[in-house]
């Protein structure tokens, strides 16, 4: 599977001019109040009905670095006296002090399959940005090519236990 995220956009946060809001077409924003409002997309890929698990077997990632950006926090939504939800912004100081990139990877594949309406799907989470809140460094996913194994490694094929000959006349177009 090849993933190529669209153009990344930054705008000054309406909450505080010291922060920037990030957006990308077809990607949702993360919602953990007080933590950086990053981007994410969930892909569901249908697999055969008897599949039981999936594994990220191989990945090739192309990334680029973006100049320091102070990404604004996701709001906490509070019901006001008029029964209207209002955004309440606050910074999770503990999270913004972490000196490592979050989330941990651009691509993750759930090992257990998701069943919807009797059909099975592999759940792939795409995080087009990795953000270090302590240094404000941002890494952007330019392209990812991944191999997903269903019920084992994607490229392991067990040969038949016996040997047999196939006449060319029974194979179409020979």
């Amino acid at each position: 599977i090849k993933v190529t995220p669209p153009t990344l956009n930054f705008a000054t946060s309406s909450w505080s001019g010291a922060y920037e809001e990030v957006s990308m077409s077809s990607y949702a924003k993360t919602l953990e109040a007080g933590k950086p409002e990053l981007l994410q997309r969930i892909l569901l890929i249908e697999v055969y009905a008897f599949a039981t698990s999936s594994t990220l077997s191989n990945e090739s990632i192309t990334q680029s670095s973006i100049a320091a950006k102070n990404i604004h926090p996701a709001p906490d939504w509070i019901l006001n006296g008029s029964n209207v939800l209002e955004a309440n912004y606050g910074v999770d100081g503990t999270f913004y002090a972490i000196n490592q990139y979050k989330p941990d990877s651009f691509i993750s594949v759930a090992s257990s399959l998701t069943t919807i309406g009797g059909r099975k799907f592999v759940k792939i989470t795409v995080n087009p940005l990795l953000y270090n809140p302590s240094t404000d460094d941002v890494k952007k996913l330019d392209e990812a090519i991944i191999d997903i194994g269903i019920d084992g490694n994607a490229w392991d094929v067990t040969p038949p236990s016996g040997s047999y000959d196939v006449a060319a006349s029974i194979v179409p177009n020979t």
Side-chain angles (χ1 to χ4, degrees):
I1 297 174
K2 181 177 178 179
V3 177
T4 307
T7 304
L8 178 63
N9 302 300
F10 287 97
T12 303
S13 171
S14 57
W15 167 63
S16 169
Y19 291 89
E20 293 192 60
E21 222 176 308
V22 62
S23 64
M24 185 180 280
S25 176
S26 73
Y27 282 74
K29 294 183 178 183
T30 57
L31 302 173
E32 284 189 77
K35 295 182 180 175
E37 193 175 63
L38 298 174
L39 303 171
Q40 187 176 78
R41 185 169 184 181
I42 305 293
L43 304 173
L44 296 175
I45 309 294
E46 188 171 6
V47 295
Y48 59 92
F50 301 106
T52 58
S53 66
S54 59
T55 307
L56 179 60
S57 298
N58 191 23
E59 66 181 332
S60 172
I61 301 288
T62 305
Q63 65 184 19
S64 56
S65 295
I66 297 175
K69 301 284 185 185
N70 193 7
I71 298 176
H72 85 130
D76 189 14
W77 295 93
I78 298 175
L79 195 61
N80 69 13
S82 303
N83 285 332
V84 175
L85 286 175
E86 289 183 343
N88 182 24
Y89 289 92
V91 174
D92 180 339
T94 304
F95 190 88
Y96 273 83
I98 294 173
N99 190 14
Q100 68 184 54
Y101 286 96
K102 293 290 183 181
D104 297 325
S105 63
F106 288 116
I107 305 279
S108 63
V109 175
S111 59
S112 58
L113 301 178
T114 301
T115 302
I116 302 171
R119 296 165 52 194
K120 291 190 177 180
F121 299 87
V122 172
K123 180 180 176 182
I124 303 168
T125 303
V126 180
N127 300 299
L129 298 177
L130 302 183
Y131 178 58
N132 184 325
S134 176
T135 63
D136 292 335
D137 291 331
V138 178
K139 291 181 183 178
K140 179 189 175 293
L141 174 65
D142 296 321
E143 180 181 271
I145 299 173
I146 61 173
D147 292 332
I148 299 172
I150 304 301
D151 295 335
N153 190 312
W155 297 107
D156 281 350
V157 177
T158 305
S161 59
S163 64
Y164 57 93
D165 292 326
V166 177
S169 61
I170 67 167
V171 178
N173 302 321
T174 58

